[in-house]
Amino acid sequence: MSETLHRTTLYDEHVRLGAKMVPFAGDEMPVHYPAGVLAEHNWTRANAGLFDVSHMGQCSVVASDFDSACTAMEKIVPADLRSLVPGQQRYSQLLNEAGGILDDLMITRSAWKGLEGSFYVVVNAGRKLGDYAHLLSNLPDVVELKIWDSLSLLALQGPKAEGVLSALDSNARDIAFMHSARLSLGGIEAHVSRAGYTGEDGFEISMRSEEAAKVWNLLLTNDAVKPVGLGARDSLRLEAGLCLYGHDIDETTSPNEAGLLWSIAKKRRENGGFIGSTRVQNEIITGTKRMRVGIRPDGRAPAREGTIIQNAAGRAIGHITSGGFGPTVNGPVAMGYVETQYTDEGTPLLLLVRDKALPAKVVKLPFVPNQFKR
């Protein structure tokens, strides 16, 4: 039986613009527009790329006050939420009891009057139903989960994103990295956070779905903006060294192995008390058997997901989880897991590509320096 695909509110806009539509996480999404993935990637690095990310899950965790919301959520996620100021956003994960990653997500403390006990949460498209169930099963009865199926989400990414957005609302310039504000975009109220998935400066824009097409087309009237599909979104995030759920992280992977321990504050590492904390704390003491690393293959042949990684002697020591051509670095890039003793920068590796061992080396992530406005 064929999969029944959902369509975002902007489906007709994508088709009108000539997008190639593909199945992705249960939705029919644009992989690229007529210009192609390479052009869209390069445009985002130099200008401003506009992405429809409405397939992502948006929800709110709502309690009567901030303390109650923190108490509930800090039992579920390892992030330090109590130190958030109103409007501030933080990256974190949902973990299972064994310390594996169920999903990674963004959590924002509400800045709006009357919603002081609310966290706005964005989760991955392919995991959202499981995430909602996980939250519901672990939140106390006095804390409510509100699922916002009525909202759409856009991402405006690139060095010209600030100029584009501030031309519509000058307050955009004042939004700090990993913070949010309410903006008026062509008379439409939107929740805007300064964050993204490309390594570039940029914004994520949430609004009512019935107003999404107007905001989309309003942004496209600026000559600095072009639509960008999932293909360039993937190559951009890979160059930025960012994890893709189901590839670089999954239910078997701990935050420690994935190099995400930075997202868990020191006091939360020490005190624990969150689901999966036993593994996280034990691995801080004992170390891990494997770690995610950046890899640069020699030559021009890319190493795709699943490629076996060998040490210089030809013994298998891991596998590639994400790989492809990096347009900005003009060569192949990859990420994968290797035994911990092989994680030092410059360590020589062999990659089994079409049964041929090709030389590579461990490199520091990200492949392209991030341009976040801190």
Side-chain angles (χ1 to χ4, degrees), residues 67-327:
D67 181 70
S68 298
C70 280
T71 299
M73 282 296 287
E74 286 196 346
K75 291 179 180 178
I76 301 174
V77 301
D80 169 21
L81 301 182
R82 289 191 182 276
S83 66
L84 290 175
V85 299
Q88 188 176 7
Q89 183 178 70
R90 190 149 286 162
Y91 170 79
S92 192
Q93 306 85 35
L94 295 176
L95 305 181
N96 59 26
E97 293 289 351
I101 301 173
L102 296 171
D103 199 6
D104 59 343
L105 68 167
M106 288 287 196
I107 307 173
T108 304
R109 178 182 175 182
S110 174
W112 322 131
K113 186 176 181 180
L115 294 174
E116 289 82 3
S118 175
F119 288 112
Y120 165 67
V121 181
V122 178
V123 301
N124 282 302
R127 304 295 290 181
K128 57 187 175 184
L129 296 182
D131 290 351
Y132 297 155
H134 181 75
L135 288 167
L136 283 168
S137 66
N138 287 284
L139 289 171
D141 292 341
V142 293
V143 179
E144 182 183 4
L145 177 68
K146 293 185 177 181
I147 299 170
W148 302 115
D149 288 335
S150 59
L151 298 179
S152 290
L153 190 66
L154 307 180
L156 184 68
Q157 299 283 295
K160 296 184 180 179
E162 181 187 87
V164 170
L165 211 58
S166 61
L168 299 174
D169 188 328
S170 61
N171 293 311
R173 295 189 185 277
D174 298 326
I175 302 176
F177 179 60
M178 295 295 279
H179 286 71
S180 65
R182 276 184 180 168
L183 299 185
S184 178
L185 306 177
I188 295 171
E189 184 179 86
H191 175 273
V192 179
S193 62
R194 195 159 203 155
Y197 195 48
T198 63
E200 296 292 332
D201 184 27
F203 302 87
E204 294 195 339
I205 306 163
S206 175
M207 76 242 78
R208 290 186 292 272
S209 290
E210 61 266 27
E211 297 175 322
K214 183 177 178 181
V215 175
W216 171 268
N217 287 308
L218 180 62
L219 292 169
L220 287 176
T221 61
N222 192 305
D223 290 341
V225 182
K226 289 186 178 179
V228 182
L230 294 175
R233 181 173 162 87
D234 190 55
S235 58
L236 289 160
R237 72 89 195 168
L238 176 55
E239 287 187 340
L242 300 175
C243 293
L244 176 61
Y245 193 86
H247 300 261
D248 309 295
I249 50 176
D250 59 28
E251 293 186 34
T252 69
T253 313
S254 71
N256 314 58
E257 293 175 322
L260 300 176
L261 199 57
W262 59 266
S263 67
I264 306 176
K266 181 180 178 182
K267 65 180 180 180
R268 300 242 57 207
R269 300 178 201 178
E270 293 174 347
N271 297 336
F274 53 87
I275 296 171
S277 60
T278 299
R279 179 179 177 181
V280 171
Q281 292 176 309
N282 286 343
E283 288 182 345
I284 290 172
I285 297 169
T286 65
T288 62
K289 294 181 179 179
R290 62 174 188 162
M291 285 289 295
R292 179 174 64 96
V293 295
I295 298 168
R296 282 299 306 268
D298 291 354
R300 305 294 290 178
R304 305 293 182 183
E305 180 180 357
T307 298
I308 299 299
I309 305 171
Q310 297 178 331
N311 64 9
R315 180 175 69 83
I317 58 168
H319 68 282
I320 298 294
T321 53
S322 287
F325 180 76

Side-chain angles (χ1 to χ4, degrees), residues 8 20-24 27-31 52-55 230:
T8 73
K20 179 181 179 182
M21 307 299 290
V22 299
F24 182 80
D27 284 81
E28 200 168 355
M29 298 294 293
V31 67
D52 178 13
V53 288
S54 302
H55 58 312
L230 294 175

